Amino acid sequence: MRWLMVWRGPGAIAWGALWVTTALVVGIHSEAGAGEVTALDLEEGRDLVTVMIRVEGEVEPHIFDLEDPPRVVVDLGNGRMLAGGARRAGDGEVVRTVRYSQFVLEPEPVARVVVDLAKATEYHLIRRSGGFALEFARPLSIPAVESKVVAESSPAVVAVPTIDGPPTKEAVPSPAATITYLTLSTAYVSAGHEDGLAVGDELSVLHGEEVLATLRVDDLSSRRAACKILNKTGEVDIGDVVAWAVASPDEAPRILGLGPGPRSEQLASAGSAVGARDWLRNQGFRGRISGRFLTVQDRTGTGQSFTQPSVDARVEGRNVAGSDVDLSLDLRTRRTFRDEADGSSSQEGRSRVYRANLVWKSLESRLSLTLGRQYSPELSSLSIFDGASLVLRTSHWTAGLLSGSQPDPVSFGYSTEIREHSAFAQWISSQVRGTRVSVTAGVVGSYTHSEINREYLALQSHLSNGRISVYASQDVDLNRGWKREVEGEALSLTNSYASLRYQMADRTTWALGFDNRRSIRL
């Protein structure tokens, strides 16, 4: 960081201190943290179908099942999934598919494994050397209803109890989530209808055994819920644990595995009635296609009447058709028909494709390859580009190579006039006492018709712990050729930016910023 210390200007000392402070915090928080999910395997035996979850480090498993269609969910608290999500086909008789992804990153990482079942059946989660074995009994060997987490060395250790007869709210353990965001009247929770929640459910915010507040679910998606804060007996904060009751005496169990009988047969028959939307969801697709129609009638006679139909499409495909391939599409198009004052008419169209790419990823190799129109989430200085990116992720490090061209600035269509190439590395700390730090460094080259457009070093740093968030970025242009002649020096500090946000206990937020970004000669 020597170039920071020789920067001339009144903000040099403060700016250098900000980066040095970040470096010190990085060193403080470099201790080991999250466990790492390294692989998933499917083993088929005569009596059992086993999903092997291989883990390095310590994770905390939480298992529950869901209905319609039947599936079993394993949440691995303090677990990181290095290559995003994926989907694998099962044996078909017991397990349809196995899906896995990073469910939550903040405030504590949670990796999620979802096993879609052909029909509800008995299951056990057994702790083994190097991970966990999720075992499903084949239909001919199903005994009584039970669900448990068993230690390999001590089969008597049961984390999720077995219960004779229908479960009660007192007998069945509550699943737990956390508060991810807060406003004055709303708490956002890291659980949705796939976790058994429904609109109108009441949740409890816990601190140990103390109930700090009661929440009511007002809106929810598959894995998120927006809840109204009904009452508070204590201070609620981001990261607080939220729990809810999952069954009453006259309800079916949501936590326990289901054995054979009329109920499991009903679930299997209900799951077979799959409509077109469910089929798309089962193939991994989510999204929306929407249309709008605007018409303006001019009464002044100046020729400003027009009609404008438009269509937007946002589609995300995760593990399409059980493969390791994702798809992403963000398309917005409109057409304008005008009636001129002289009686003539005209029309013009405008289409913008903001994302259109395919992603291949592998949990075992920790690699992901993206082809098409995309942007780099690690380097904020890179805008949308058409090309390819290859990224390698580990528990704390991410490194990647990117190459492509910028879209046409007017039509936003494909263009080869400006080409960009980049290499970057990012380090993310373990989360210690709610604090997480990331540091990113990248080298970017931009060229117009093989001539130097811009070559620069991009540095970024981010620190957050729920109440405080610090972000700093600095671009250092490397001048050679015609740029050296114009700038007069080999290095130029071109984009200096920093922001700090602090939320006080009374929810008052303080924001400070420093912006010294400049126009760049191209």
Side-chain angles (χ1 to χ4, degrees), residues 54-364:
R54 305 194 185 280
V55 177
E56 293 180 2
E58 291 297 322
V59 298
E60 188 65 32
H62 172 65
I63 184 171
F64 58 98
D65 58 52
L66 299 170
E67 308 170 1
D68 195 21
R71 55 203 185 277
V72 174
V73 180
V74 181
D75 280 345
L76 302 170
N78 198 42
R80 291 180 65 87
M81 191 79 64
L82 300 181
R87 176 186 297 235
R88 285 187 178 167
D91 69 318
E93 181 184 9
V94 178
V95 176
R96 286 180 173 171
T97 55
V98 180
R99 296 175 281 136
Y100 42 97
S101 65
Q102 189 71 48
F103 178 53
V104 175
L105 279 174
E106 300 287 351
E108 176 184 293
V110 176
R112 168 164 287 187
V113 179
V114 180
V115 181
D116 299 305
L117 301 174
K119 64 179 181 179
T121 186
E122 177 200 3
Y123 58 86
H124 300 80
L125 184 65
I126 301 175
R127 191 184 300 270
R128 290 186 179 175
S129 175
F132 299 88
L134 181 55
E135 296 182 344
F136 297 90
R138 290 196 180 276
L140 294 179
S141 60
I142 296 178
V145 175
E146 63 176 348
S147 165
K148 50 191 173 182
V149 178
V150 183
E152 186 178 34
S153 58
S154 177
V157 179
V158 177
V160 182
T162 61
I163 301 172
D164 296 326
T168 64
K169 286 185 178 180
E170 291 75 19
V172 178
S174 297
T178 57
I179 294 177
T180 59
Y181 187 75
L182 277 171
T183 67
L184 292 177
S185 60
T186 304
Y188 294 83
V189 174
S190 62
H193 64 73
E194 287 195 3
D195 304 292
L197 287 181
V199 174
D201 283 355
E202 291 193 359
L203 320 178
S204 298
V205 182
L206 304 178
H207 182 73
E209 297 184 355
E210 179 186 1
V211 178
L212 299 179
T214 301
L215 312 178
R216 185 190 67 219
V217 178
D218 284 351
D219 192 16
L220 79 167
S221 63
S222 59
R223 295 178 178 177
R224 293 291 185 271
C227 307
K228 182 177 180 61
I229 303 175
L230 298 181
N231 54 69
K232 292 195 298 185
T233 59
E235 190 62 35
V236 178
D237 204 350
I238 294 174
D240 285 345
V241 174
V242 178
W244 60 95
V246 296
S248 62
D250 57 348
E251 288 180 328
R254 295 186 194 174
I255 292 293
L256 298 183
L258 297 174
R263 177 164 182 77
S264 61
E265 293 171 5
Q266 292 172 5
L267 287 175
S269 62
S272 63
V274 180
R277 192 176 80 167
D278 291 333
W279 183 86
L280 287 172
R281 285 181 175 273
N282 288 336
Q283 299 303 310
F285 290 101
R286 301 289 189 276
R288 71 174 188 270
I289 299 177
S290 60
R292 297 190 302 273
F293 187 85
L294 172 67
T295 180
V296 175
Q297 298 298 323
D298 176 37
R299 298 179 182 275
T300 65
T302 58
Q304 298 298 317
S305 296
F306 67 91
T307 57
Q308 188 179 82
S310 60
V311 175
D312 295 348
R314 292 284 304 274
V315 179
E316 299 289 337
R318 293 289 178 262
N319 316 119
V320 176
S323 68
D324 289 335
V325 176
D326 292 350
L327 176 147
S328 182
L329 176 66
D330 184 353
L331 168 66
R332 308 173 198 183
T333 181
R334 73 185 188 200
R335 197 156 193 87
T336 305
F337 300 89
R338 297 186 180 275
D339 295 327
E340 307 294 345
D342 59 3
S344 62
S345 60
S346 63
Q347 57 178 288
E348 61 177 351
R350 178 177 177 179
S351 298
R352 293 288 185 269
V353 179
Y354 293 98
R355 278 189 301 173
N357 58 65
L358 292 174
V359 182
W360 171 86
K361 58 193 181 310
S362 170
L363 180 65
E364 288 76 11

Side-chain angles (χ1 to χ4, degrees), residues 26-49:
V26 168
I28 293 172
H29 291 89
S30 61
E31 57 193 86
E36 178 182 319
V37 182
T38 59
L40 279 95
D41 301 315
L42 189 68
E43 301 175 358
E44 300 180 27
R46 187 182 66 178
D47 299 322
L48 295 173
V49 177

Side-chain angles (χ1 to χ4, degrees), residues 378-401:
E378 291 83 10
L379 287 175
S380 61
S381 57
L382 279 182
S383 186
I384 296 173
F385 68 95
D386 298 313
S389 62
L390 182 65
V391 178
L392 172 67
R393 291 183 173 88
T394 68
S395 56
H396 291 292
W397 286 94
T398 299
L401 299 172

